[in-house]
Amino acid sequence: MSKVIVAATPLAGHTSPMLQIAAALVTAGHEVTFLGGERYTGSVKEAGAQMVALTGKADYDDRRFDEFFPNRASTPPGPPQLNLDLRQVFGDPLVQQHLQLQALLAQDPEQTLITDLMFLGAWPSALGVGLRPRRWISLAMTPLYVASVDTSMLGPVPVEPGGDQAAANLAATAAFDAMLEPGFSHVRDLIAGLGGDLSRVTGYIATAYSLPDIVAQPTVPELEFPRSDLPEHITYVGPLPMTTVDAWTPPSWWSELGSRPVVAVTQGTLSNHDLSSLVEPTLTALADEDVLVVVALGGRAVDEIAEKSPANARVESFVPFDRLLPHADVLVTNGGYGGVQVSLAAGCPVVVAGTTEDKPATAARVTYSGTGVDLGTDTPAPEQIRDAVRAILADPGYQERVDAMREAYSRYDSLALIVAMVERA
């Protein structure tokens, strides 16, 4: 039995997979302490772990994002919002995260630490501040961004004939790091204030991937751009399985699944405040198509959106994807990394519409693998959505490539691989 600290940024998309890991470790007989958002206390107890709630700036609730980060909504997407997130959402919690980690390590320095890649509070101990865990395993929450001579984060950079492909790819990653410099300088200042050795701190990408002892990348090589120079400590573990919800009763229309092609629609749990960006245009786009449209609102109230939905639409506040996606023929999504992989693992091609955060990188991998259509915008027109859905339903090649991806996924047991990493520590 090992003692393990599992630490998670209190965003739903970051915490959910860390809870799965905690539960798997408990099942394997390990003693697990979970450091995360207070609102997850009940889920942590259900997983069988001991809960230690984050405090101060480290604890926030993404269901009330505007309350905790009031200037985020008015910050333009792209570089300004990415830098704000690096400063406020991930950077400002760093000091409190570090202090609470140190308190846990003081009880037993021989504990293994598992964090999500954006839990920056693990950085100071790797840079010489305080106690360092026996081993630090970091789970990536985004597509692979690490620099490579073979590709940028968005794929190989186009070059003129005879151009230096390797230099172009490395320059693209360097440019991304430079774009994040306003936010990352704040992170460096926080670490320096703790007395951290900044000699190993270069750009954000290089630092995030180089500091942990192991980086677990929750995907398969088939969905990633090939890298001949992938560092040995970065390892593919396959996506984490879809979470299951036992206490859920299917709605009355559930028996309609299978009567015609099913198009599932989601804007995720964080970006669903404005349904006019994707949900509403999808309902308009498919109103006259011979499909059943199932909209999952990520916990948001159904209210007026259901009332103005077309006859072929079924709108629910929540539908567990482990139940829905095996019946779906297409998923229309804003392109979150986890959600896209859940869909592909279930054998469902995707239409992605997202240009913020890590979504362009996820979309690039969908295009590269031929498992769906990238609309290249956050606010697609109904015609774009209709054409994309029709293309996927009409071309069996999409389903064939998704089936091959699903088979690749089936060769990995991500939770077992991560448990084995702990047991080798």
Side-chain angles (χ1 to χ4, degrees):
M1 182 183 72
S2 298
K3 289 186 177 181
V4 186
I5 302 168
V6 178
T9 306
L11 297 166
H14 291 230
T15 300
S16 179
M18 303 308 289
L19 284 169
Q20 289 181 278
I21 291 170
L25 288 165
V26 170
T27 299
H30 301 289
E31 183 179 329
V32 180
T33 300
F34 195 96
L35 179 60
E38 184 177 15
R39 76 179 176 103
Y40 297 102
T41 298
S43 298
V44 171
K45 290 181 178 178
E46 289 177 9
Q50 176 187 349
M51 178 67 184
V52 175
L54 291 164
T55 58
K57 290 183 179 180
D59 190 28
Y60 49 82
D61 189 335
D62 59 13
R63 296 170 300 182
R64 310 196 311 274
F65 225 47
D66 290 346
E67 176 184 328
F68 287 90
F69 308 105
N71 55 342
R72 190 178 189 272
S74 60
T75 302
Q81 195 170 92
L82 288 172
N83 278 289
L84 181 142
D85 287 348
L86 191 50
R87 284 194 306 270
Q88 298 184 5
V89 180
F90 302 108
D92 283 343
L94 181 156
V95 173
Q96 184 60 30
Q97 290 172 347
H98 165 71
L99 293 174
Q100 292 190 255
L101 276 178
Q102 286 297 299
L104 292 173
L105 289 170
Q107 299 172 21
D108 185 353
E110 288 298 303
Q111 296 180 87
T112 297
L113 173 64
I114 306 179
T115 70
D116 68 82
L117 197 69
M118 295 301 296
F119 193 93
L120 304 188
W123 286 26
S125 65
L127 296 167
V129 183
L131 298 169
R132 178 166 182 144
R134 182 179 184 184
R135 175 175 286 188
W136 173 20
I137 302 167
S138 185
L139 180 74
M141 296 295 180
T142 65
L144 192 55
Y145 280 9
V146 68
S148 171
V149 297
D150 300 311
T151 184
S152 75
M153 64 193 68
L154 299 176
V157 176
V159 296
E160 297 293 333
D164 190 334
Q165 180 73 70
N169 292 330
L170 293 172
T173 303
F176 185 78
D177 261 338
M179 181 266 290
L180 290 177
E181 180 56 26
F184 192 53
S185 64
H186 179 61
V187 173
R188 284 200 307 272
D189 289 344
L190 292 171
I191 295 173
L194 292 169
D197 176 8
L198 298 183
S199 63
R200 295 178 60 196
V201 177
T202 53
Y204 168 72
I205 297 297
T207 308
Y209 283 98
S210 65
L211 290 184
D213 298 306
I214 298 175
V215 174
Q217 187 67 37
T219 190
V220 295
E222 288 82 354
L223 193 66
E224 267 297 339
F225 299 108
R227 288 173 167 82
S228 62
D229 53 355
L230 186 68
E232 291 184 1
H233 74 288
I234 300 177
T235 181
Y236 295 110
V237 298
L240 272 69
M242 284 186 284
T243 54
T244 59
V245 180
D246 296 327
W248 180 77
T249 303
S252 59
W253 53 262
W254 198 252
S255 60
E256 298 178 49
L257 296 175
S259 60
R260 47 185 164 166
V262 175
V263 179
V265 188
T266 179
Q267 277 186 217
T269 56
L270 187 59
S271 302
N272 63 1
H273 56 282
D274 181 7
L275 298 180
S276 67
S277 61
L278 185 58
V279 167
E280 291 179 6
T282 301
L283 291 171
T284 300
L286 303 179
D288 298 321
E289 300 292 300
D290 186 22
V291 297
L292 180 67
V293 182
V294 180
V295 179
L297 295 179
R300 174 173 167 166
V302 173
D303 52 51
E304 76 279 358
I305 190 70
E307 297 177 4
K308 58 184 181 182
S309 296
N312 66 341
R314 307 292 179 265
V315 181
E316 299 289 336
S317 174
F318 171 75
V319 180
F321 271 19
D322 66 308
R323 309 282 187 93
L324 174 62
L325 288 178
H327 299 283
D329 298 276
V330 183
L331 172 68
V332 179
T333 170
N334 62 346
Y337 187 50
V340 165
Q341 294 207 83
V342 160
S343 184
L344 299 181
C348 180
V350 293
V351 174
V352 292
T355 61
T356 60
E357 300 157 338
D358 63 335
K359 295 178 178 64
T362 302
R365 284 149 179 81
V366 168
T367 300
Y368 163 72
S369 61
T371 52
V373 177
D374 173 21
L375 298 181
T377 175
D378 290 309
T379 54
E383 294 77 15
Q384 291 176 279
I385 300 170
R386 184 183 308 117
D387 290 347
V389 170
R390 284 177 175 175
I392 290 175
L393 293 177
D395 184 352
Y398 286 102
Q399 189 61 57
E400 291 170 3
R401 290 185 288 272
V402 169
D403 288 343
M405 189 67 68
R406 177 170 55 178
E407 196 280 328
Y409 284 147
S410 71
R411 297 195 293 269
Y412 289 77
D413 184 337
S414 56
L415 294 175
L417 288 169
I418 293 170
V419 169
M421 290 174 183
V422 171
E423 293 174 346
R424 288 196 301 268

